[in-house]
Amino acid sequence: MSEPTVDSSRMRTLVHSDDLDETREIISSAYSPYELRVLDNAQGFSAWYAEGGFPGVTLSALSYGAETLVAPEPLTSYLLVCQVVHGSVRVLSPGREERVVDAGDTYVLDPYRTFRVHWAPGARMTTIRLSRDTVERAAADALGFEEPVRARFTLGGAVSSAAAGTWAGISAAVQREVLDGGIARTSPLLASQLTRTAAAALMEAHPLITPDPEIRHTGAVAHPAVRRAMQLIEEQADQPLTLSDLACAARLSPRALQEAFRQHLNTTPLTHLREIRLERAHRELLAADGDGRVTVTQIAYRWGFSNLGRFAASYQHRFGNPPSQTLRT
């Protein structure tokens, strides 16, 4: 029995066997307890399983050499994004959905229901495992909720070809880090960023089932998030803040933060930042002596206005006179 053509030099092989009971025991320990049955040609059964990863992500590779049924118990604490790399599998959630997944396609197994997966002989798959907590926080960001959200997914593929391409790129980056021995293993910051990016990309790429109606939406809970962004603006308005910086402070996705600002302040985060900077520049111009030691250019640059003409126009629109006149007052 030969291993699948996957560069496993950076992965740990846990199963390379034609023993059904041994395979069931080891993979149950790696994932969760599950039923494993050979449906046809028991003599042809074989299994190969290897895994690797970095903090926050586990990458696995798995192959069965005979027609096989896998029926795991609910995953409970994690989620799997599965990509078929050879052959096909038929995955179903009893009484709900069923889908045949061919090579190159992906599907998601979430922690909240049971699944059955029928493997065609020789099918191979890779999985990216993310913790339930990571995915639930990403779902909250994507949907504009303050608290973590039960992230339940349909068995459908990516929502569009563009989304599929984005997920493929993120998945490839994760696999490179594992298979090529990247620095995510030893860099907690990079591991954390890549894990969050993978979870955020998953939210955009695969169809979520609408959350339970009792979960409060942005309209009910966005004030704390908006306040967090506003606090960062108040404290660091002179710094080169980006929408991503504000969203990170708010613990929302950039899109959700923009929606929250529109709903509660009838503006956008960057417009609010610009208004605060204008106000700070106005205060400095009023406080300056006008003796030439302080210039409009210096104050404009200090508050992030690199285009002096645009600064002057915005300032006059806001305060009714040009900044040079305020400085001379």
Side-chain angles (χ1 to χ4, degrees), residues 19-279:
D19 186 298
L20 186 67
D21 292 333
E22 178 187 32
T23 299
R24 182 188 299 112
E25 179 180 354
I26 294 175
I27 298 183
S28 289
S29 298
Y31 284 102
S32 61
Y34 78 137
E35 176 187 358
L36 176 64
R37 287 194 285 121
V38 179
L39 301 179
D40 186 37
N41 186 22
Q43 297 303 315
F45 174 80
S46 63
W48 177 78
Y49 172 78
E51 68 177 32
F54 49 83
V57 170
T58 299
L59 174 69
S60 302
L62 180 62
S63 175
Y64 290 113
E67 186 178 352
T68 306
L69 170 68
V70 174
E73 295 182 6
L75 306 180
T76 66
S77 63
Y78 61 91
L79 173 148
L80 294 175
V81 187
C82 310
Q83 180 177 15
V84 178
V85 296
H86 180 78
S88 65
V89 303
R90 182 164 58 91
V91 57
L92 59 95
S93 179
R96 300 182 66 178
E97 296 178 85
E98 181 173 342
R99 180 186 174 210
V100 174
V101 187
D102 296 315
D105 292 333
T106 59
Y107 64 96
V108 180
L109 300 182
D110 65 46
Y112 304 109
R113 53 180 169 169
T114 58
F115 300 91
R116 299 166 66 90
V117 184
H118 292 255
W119 290 66
R124 299 199 300 269
M125 184 186 300
T126 61
T127 69
I128 291 178
R129 185 190 314 181
L130 299 168
S131 75
R132 185 183 69 184
D133 291 343
T134 296
V135 173
E136 288 184 346
R137 288 196 296 270
D141 288 348
L143 296 170
F145 297 131
E146 181 68 15
E147 301 299 328
V149 173
R150 282 166 52 99
R152 298 179 297 149
F153 291 83
T154 73
L155 290 180
V159 297
S160 67
S161 58
T166 295
W167 174 254
I170 296 298
S171 176
V174 168
Q175 294 191 43
R176 282 195 301 271
E177 283 298 308
V178 176
L179 300 178
D180 296 342
I183 63 173
R185 295 185 182 205
T186 56
S187 170
L189 177 60
L190 178 59
S192 175
Q193 292 286 354
L194 190 51
T195 299
R196 289 201 298 269
T197 298
L202 178 62
M203 296 304 114
E204 302 296 332
H206 279 265
L208 277 167
I209 298 173
T210 303
D212 296 333
E214 64 268 19
I215 298 176
R216 296 176 299 168
H217 192 263
T218 302
V221 300
H223 285 301
V226 172
R227 285 199 299 270
R228 286 192 290 269
M230 292 175 66
Q231 181 177 355
L232 180 62
I233 289 172
E234 289 291 334
E235 295 174 352
Q236 299 185 31
D238 60 336
Q239 299 300 308
L241 296 175
T242 66
L243 178 60
S244 294
D245 294 329
L246 300 178
C248 184
R251 300 200 291 275
L252 290 177
S253 69
R255 185 175 62 183
L257 182 62
Q258 288 178 312
E259 175 60 28
F261 263 76
R262 280 193 292 267
Q263 184 168 357
H264 294 290
L265 299 178
N266 194 30
T267 188
T268 68
L270 294 183
T271 297
H272 180 72
L273 172 60
R274 185 168 60 251
E275 290 299 311
I276 294 298
R277 286 172 168 171
L278 277 173
E279 181 63 37

